[in-house]
Amino acid sequence: ATADIGVTGLAVMGRNLARNLARHGHVVALHNRSVQRTRSLVAEHGDEGTFVASESLAEFVGSLKSPRAVIVMVKAGEPTDAVIEELTPLLDEGDIVIDCGNAHFADTRRREATLREHGIHFVGCGVSGGEEGALLGPSIMPGGSAQSYQKLGPIFESIAAQVDGTPCCVHVGPDGAGHFVKMVHNGIEYADMQLIAEAYDLLRAGLGAEPPELAEIFRTWNSGDLESFLIEITADVLAHVDDTTGKPFVDIVLDQAEQKGTGRWTVQTALDLGVPITGIAEATFARSLSGHAEQRSAARAALSQESGIQVDDREQFIEDVRRALYASKVVAYAQGFDLITAGSAEYGWDVDRGAMATIWRGGCIIRARFLDRIREAYDADPDLPSLLVAPYFADAVRAGVQSWRRVVATAALGGIPTPAFSSSLAYYDALRRLPLPAALIQGLRDNFGAHTYRRTDRDGSFHVQWAGDKAEHPA
Ligand code: NDP
């Protein structure tokens, strides 16, 4: 047995991860259900490092040094269970199975508990950065036991993206913590993209500008606070011209956004844990709405379509939209980190939130300059109740709040939908407001359902005899 680590599942992701490992000097065992993929990897890239290819799973396991570390990179869901089931009897106590696919954290918790009974470490590991990231350096979010990280840490840190000499990989926490954090990362990615799309829509409507000009605006924004991979590629996509028609590419793409489900998982989890992640939820629903083609068509026919905004000062409007985008983005991240906080508390993971910001700085889709500020905020106060109250972000949002209000008001008056901009502003206002009208909701609940209420001036629960003498009684 000579291999340091093995990869089973050699489609695009597994293949690139295996090559990345080999390029960093690790001896990599290879296996895939259909042998053709294994053979082609060795034939095309065998010279990039040391590979030990096997055609059967037993031979593959036998080629690994003990304790064995096996990366499973197959289709998420049932295939992952099938592979784990086949692997388990071939492994020994102390071996490590790493699922780098996009698993739901609840599945990871289940698998971890099952393998733990066999003395096998199961590591649910989030990997972000797509195909290219897997090859050139992804952001890696491993969960599982601390003991498993002693072996995996040095290997994963060597292949992860590096930013300022720091690898974008850290042990996130036990069992499902890694896949949970990866899920929230994807949810934040949904919000980020929706906010960018709303900014684009407003600028286009407000300025009457064409995509090449809008591309320049985003390119300029990419040299400031908003600097990020997504803003950078927004400029590229807007500047792109369709080959066949010569039209701006964005004008020939059907306006129906698709999704693979991680945004939905994030929102479902947030509902379960009672965390208001309004930005991510609006972004997820906005994709759903865009896909309801028949309903949209009926609405266009039945409802009048006046929309459009009047902009007097173009430079001011562009700056307002930029500030509104930044403030809304702060809210979306604040909400995402609240969800990590809640998940960590619910499942006892003790996730270091500042470290999550650190490992998202490179490799992944939401990589951004702004993540340094998040890390600094949690370094200064590890118990920060909300990112929004960290001095840097509080100042940044305060500085932009008038712009934000103008943009949301202008959009509403002009009939341009900005669900993420608007709901983020509403969240910011609600968080600061005293009293909230929740007091009236409690009154209504007590009236129709005797659900009781608490008072502002003394402890305890109370109920009013609404149908009788309307006297208050302790509940
Ligand atoms: P796919 O999700 O397309 O899965 C194909 C691989 O799974 C093949 O190796 C296939 O083997 C194997 N497989 C499928 N069913 C079984 C089974 N029942 N038993 C054994 N092997 C099986 O591959 P990708 O490389 O696109 O993705 C791998 C994982 O990574 C997925 O979980 C995916 O969600 C995730 N992913 C992550 C991305 C990221 O950015 N982090 C991007 C893309 C994917 P065979 O060749 O024999 O058919």
Side-chain angles (χ1 to χ4, degrees):
T2 55
D4 301 313
I5 190 160
V7 182
T8 179
L10 301 172
V12 278
M13 291 297 290
R15 176 185 177 97
N16 281 357
L17 210 57
R19 291 173 61 196
N20 187 353
L21 285 161
R23 288 176 178 193
H24 284 88
H26 308 290
V27 177
V28 186
L30 300 176
H31 174 264
N32 192 70
R33 179 178 61 178
S34 37
V35 297
Q36 192 43 43
R37 284 195 204 274
T38 316
R39 289 183 190 149
S40 84
L41 171 47
V42 173
E44 289 164 38
H45 304 287
D47 58 349
E48 291 180 7
T50 310
F51 295 107
V52 184
S54 296
E55 304 207 341
S56 76
L57 205 58
E59 193 191 335
F60 167 73
V61 168
S63 72
L64 286 158
K65 282 194 245 176
S66 189
R68 304 181 186 92
V70 181
I71 294 178
V72 178
M73 200 42 156
V74 300
K75 210 173 186 60
E78 280 173 22
T80 305
D81 282 315
V83 171
I84 292 170
E85 207 167 295
E86 211 182 329
L87 263 175
T88 307
L90 303 171
L91 298 175
D92 295 317
E93 275 189 29
D95 287 349
I96 309 168
V97 175
I98 310 118
D99 175 17
C100 286
N102 267 337
H104 191 288
F105 76 94
D107 286 334
T108 301
R109 285 170 54 77
R110 168 178 59 78
R111 291 166 182 151
E112 196 273 341
T114 307
L115 287 200
R116 193 161 6 109
E117 285 173 17
H118 298 268
I120 297 168
H121 299 275
F122 183 74
V123 175
C125 181
V127 178
S128 176
E131 205 178 321
E132 188 179 286
L135 181 63
L136 302 176
S139 173
I140 310 180
M141 296 154 250
S145 64
Q147 203 187 335
S148 65
Y149 196 76
Q150 285 175 5
K151 168 153 178 141
L152 297 179
I155 300 178
F156 281 177
E157 289 173 22
S158 74
I159 63 159
Q162 313 279 323
V163 177
D164 304 334
T166 305
C168 295
C169 174
V170 77
H171 180 231
V172 177
D175 61 78
H179 274 140
F180 187 95
V181 163
K182 170 67 181 358
M183 173 188 78
V184 176
H185 161 284
N186 285 27
I188 290 175
E189 181 184 311
Y190 274 54
D192 244 344
M193 289 167 68
Q194 175 65 23
L195 291 169
I196 288 172
E198 290 178 17
Y200 151 76
D201 199 13
L202 281 165
L203 290 173
R204 194 155 187 188
L207 305 176
E210 289 301 302
E213 187 186 336
L214 299 171
E216 280 316 306
I217 294 173
F218 279 94
R219 229 181 276 293
T220 311
W221 287 359
N222 199 37
S223 55
D225 294 333
L226 282 170
E227 182 187 318
S228 60
F229 172 69
L230 281 169
I231 295 283
E232 178 191 329
I233 64 170
T234 298
D236 294 344
V237 171
L238 288 174
H240 186 61
V241 173
D242 176 48
D243 276 349
T244 50
T245 59
K247 289 184 182 166
F249 169 75
V250 75
D251 288 343
I252 58 96
V253 177
L254 193 66
D255 63 347
Q256 296 177 22
E258 297 179 2
Q259 45 189 320
K260 293 212 302 209
T262 41
R264 187 178 69 234
W265 289 351
T266 313
V267 179
Q268 284 169 336
T269 305
L271 289 171
D272 289 341
L273 296 175
V275 183
I277 54 160
T278 55
I280 297 170
E282 288 293 357
T284 309
F285 286 131
R287 289 200 195 185
S288 306
L289 188 155
S290 77
H292 287 296
E294 282 184 24
Q295 215 176 27
R296 289 176 56 198
S297 161
R300 281 196 302 277
L303 309 173
S304 72
Q305 280 187 50
E306 298 114 41
S307 71
I309 45 187
Q310 181 72 37
V311 170
D312 300 322
D313 184 340
R314 291 170 68 89
E315 290 310 313
Q316 181 65 49
F317 184 68
I318 295 170
E319 179 59 9
D320 280 352
V321 173
R322 188 189 70 82
R323 286 172 180 250
L325 175 54
Y326 191 66
S328 304
K329 182 177 160 113
V330 172
V331 168
Y333 279 69
Q335 295 176 342
F337 276 85
D338 283 351
L339 184 54
I340 293 177
T341 308
S344 180
E346 174 75 15
Y347 300 108
W349 289 329
D350 199 20
V351 176
D352 174 349
R353 293 171 297 176
M356 297 309 104
T358 304
I359 63 171
W360 291 347
R361 291 185 308 162
C364 65
I365 307 300
I366 64 171
R367 60 187 183 261
R369 179 199 282 198
F370 147 104
L371 289 162
D372 278 327
R373 305 283 92 78
I374 296 183
R375 192 208 46 209
E376 286 160 13
Y378 284 116
D379 281 352
D381 180 2
D383 298 321
L384 198 60
S386 164
L387 260 187
L388 281 170
V389 307
Y392 171 84
F393 291 112
D395 287 348
V397 172
R398 201 177 296 124
V401 76
Q402 289 312 324
S403 291
W404 202 4
R405 295 193 191 293
R406 275 196 296 273
V407 167
V408 169
T410 304
L413 289 170
I416 311 286
T418 54
F421 274 19
S422 318
S423 72
S424 303
L425 179 59
Y427 175 87
Y428 170 76
D429 284 333
L431 211 53
R432 298 175 308 124
R433 184 154 176 79
L434 191 73
L436 283 169
L440 177 57
I441 292 173
Q442 284 298 82
L444 297 173
R445 294 178 71 247
D446 190 60
N447 180 297
F448 69 68
H451 291 303
T452 76
Y453 55 90
R454 287 176 294 149
R455 297 182 56 101
T456 56
D457 54 358
R458 53 198 148 86
D459 289 341
S461 291
F462 301 91
H463 170 56
V464 169
Q465 299 288 355
W466 294 99
D469 59 3
K470 296 202 168 44
E472 177 181 84
H473 299 278

